[in-house]
Amino acid sequence: GNHVRAVDDLAGLLVKHQYNDDNAVAAEKLTLAQNEVAHIAHVLETKGRFGLTRSFIQHGTMSVHAHVISVAHASLAMAGRLERLGVRIDRASLIRGALLHDYFLYDWHDPDPSHRLHGFTHPFAALAPAEEDFEDLTPRERNIISRHMFPLVPIPPTCREAWLVCLADKACALHETIAGRLPKRSTGCKEVSQ
């Protein structure tokens, strides 16, 4: 029933990353989401070291900063679909968690031996500085940061916001990793150059 439809809708969003409303409503919702993300990113940069994420490459040529902005937007798109189905989402925690999910603050491409298992360890490497810089992290935000690499890290997310970021992260990472190798065409996750 509704749960199967919600899963189908989420799968569609992972491919399309767009709103299925009329153009004016879709543009208004997109602007609202962009403003929400930009405001929270500004607060994180002002109060913490979020600006440093611009200095590190995540996937392909995409910076960690651009990647987490894309993940926040993709997560919000999926959240919007769930909200229209009557599912409550903590949007502020969703956005903050998405923006901080890769807050590890190092270049994992460096040949440093401690980065060899980055895929397995970076959720915890991201949580530590996030907790240092932002004492007001919510349990949802901690869950988003520490569980976004499921199933590579075998403990699954425990809240819907963490599941959304987990899915959005994989979709955006896939796009960022292979986008340069494929012929140019319109795809899911929007590239942000910052």
Side-chain angles (χ1 to χ4, degrees), residues 152-181:
L152 193 57
V153 174
I155 304 168
T158 59
C159 63
R160 61 182 60 103
E161 293 82 2
W163 277 108
L164 292 174
V165 172
C166 184
L167 293 170
D169 181 48
K170 283 155 184 53
C172 291
L174 179 64
H175 171 71
E176 294 159 11
T177 302
I178 66 170
R181 300 177 187 150

Side-chain angles (χ1 to χ4, degrees), residues 50-171:
F50 185 68
L52 292 177
T53 62
R54 286 185 174 90
S55 305
F56 305 117
I57 296 299
Q58 181 65 329
H59 306 113
T61 59
M62 178 85 58
S63 71
V64 172
H65 186 270
H67 167 71
V68 299
I69 296 284
S70 291
V71 170
H73 285 289
S75 298
L76 277 176
M78 290 186 284
R81 184 64 64 93
L82 289 175
E83 288 170 330
R84 287 192 295 281
L85 293 171
V87 177
R88 279 194 276 185
I89 301 292
D90 179 346
R91 291 174 71 88
S93 287
L94 176 73
I95 296 167
R96 273 184 32 134
L99 293 174
L100 295 173
H101 82 274
D102 282 337
Y103 197 65
F104 42 81
L105 305 177
Y106 60 81
D107 184 354
W108 65 272
H109 300 89
D110 283 345
D112 183 325
S114 69
H115 300 165
R116 283 186 31 234
L117 297 175
H118 173 79
F120 296 95
T121 61
H122 82 269
F124 311 101
L127 183 58
E131 289 177 328
E132 288 172 21
D133 291 357
F134 310 104
E135 295 175 1
D136 62 340
L137 282 181
T138 68
R140 278 189 175 95
E141 292 161 359
R142 284 183 173 87
N143 194 261
I144 291 167
I145 297 165
S146 63
R147 308 281 178 90
H148 78 274
M149 285 302 291
F150 179 79
L152 193 57
V153 174
I155 304 168
T158 59
C159 63
R160 61 182 60 103
E161 293 82 2
W163 277 108
L164 292 174
V165 172
C166 184
L167 293 170
D169 181 48
K170 283 155 184 53

